């Protein structure tokens, strides 16, 4: 009797690229365009992202490994696109520090981390809980950049 042992095969960049192409298509299909306000539009986009990742059977294996250059580049593109959408609403967005690029990078990183942690968890939480968690954090991060009524507490330079 022979015992077969299986070793984990590292994810190739092509695996990530195929996964990210499908992910990008799912998010684009969920984007309602400018017909909605920023919050509804971004909620749809972020929710579609999380749902697609959570439902894809390859995601667990891909997110369990170190992030390859293809995934890092996808994260940078997502953050740049989000910053562009925030900047496009300059009539709504207010000039807060940090700029839209920083808020977008933080929101995108939070989405990746929260979803990845849920995928790697021993007992995966329900998908819609993860969607709600991601949106709660992302909205909290983006709100100061786009909502003129949210208070922004500023510190004088060097007051830390």
């Amino acid at each position: 009797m022979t015992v077969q042992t299986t070793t984990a095969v590292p994810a190739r960049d092509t695996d990530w690229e195929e996964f990210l192409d499908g992910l990008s298509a799912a998010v684009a299909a969920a984007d309602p365009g400018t017909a909605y306000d920023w919050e509804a539009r971004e909620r749809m986009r972020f929710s579609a992202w999380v749902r697609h990742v959570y439902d894809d059977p390859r995601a667990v294996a891909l997110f369990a490994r170190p992030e390859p250059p293809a995934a890092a580049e996808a994260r940078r593109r997502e953050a740049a696109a989000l910053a562009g959408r925030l900047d496009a609403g300059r009539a709504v967005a207010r000039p807060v520090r940090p700029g839209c690029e920083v808020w977008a990078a933080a929101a995108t990183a939070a989405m990746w981390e929260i979803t990845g942690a849920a995928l790697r968890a021993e007992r995966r939480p329900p998908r819609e809980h993860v969607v709600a968690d991601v949106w709660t954090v992302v909205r909290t991060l983006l709100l100061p950049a786009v909502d003129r009524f949210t208070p922004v507490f500023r510190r004088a330079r060097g007051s830390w």
Side-chain angles (χ1 to χ4, degrees):
M1 180 170 152
T2 59
V3 176
Q4 283 188 329
T5 58
T6 58
T7 57
V9 178
R12 302 172 311 201
D13 275 352
T14 55
D15 295 336
W16 269 102
E17 288 168 6
E18 290 171 5
F19 174 77
L20 293 168
D21 287 344
L23 181 57
S24 179
V27 172
D31 188 346
T34 57
Y36 289 81
D37 68 345
W38 79 268
E39 187 172 354
R41 181 181 186 191
E42 294 308 324
R43 183 178 182 126
M44 288 180 208
R45 291 178 60 83
F46 277 88
S47 297
W49 192 97
V50 174
R51 286 183 179 110
H52 183 83
V53 170
Y54 218 71
D55 292 342
D56 192 309
R58 300 172 294 182
V60 174
L62 293 172
F63 276 75
R65 292 176 171 75
E67 188 175 88
E73 180 58 30
R75 187 187 297 212
R76 281 190 291 277
R77 280 193 315 268
E78 289 167 2
L82 176 58
R85 289 190 304 275
L86 292 174
D87 278 338
R90 273 287 178 211
V92 176
R94 57 188 182 167
V96 298
R97 295 299 301 164
C100 289
E101 310 80 34
V102 176
W103 294 112
T108 303
M111 173 181 62
W112 278 74
E113 284 304 313
I114 293 167
T115 306
L119 289 172
R120 292 185 298 271
E122 189 174 312
R123 291 176 40 152
R124 284 175 57 180
R127 181 187 72 179
E128 292 309 308
H129 287 191
V130 179
V131 170
D133 289 348
V134 166
W135 180 245
T136 299
V137 172
V138 166
R139 184 178 186 277
T140 302
L141 288 167
L142 296 181
L143 200 56
V146 295
D147 184 9
R148 67 181 89 231
F149 301 110
T150 300
V152 176
F153 303 103
R154 301 179 194 273
R155 295 183 183 265
R157 196 169 192 63
S159 68
W160 293 95

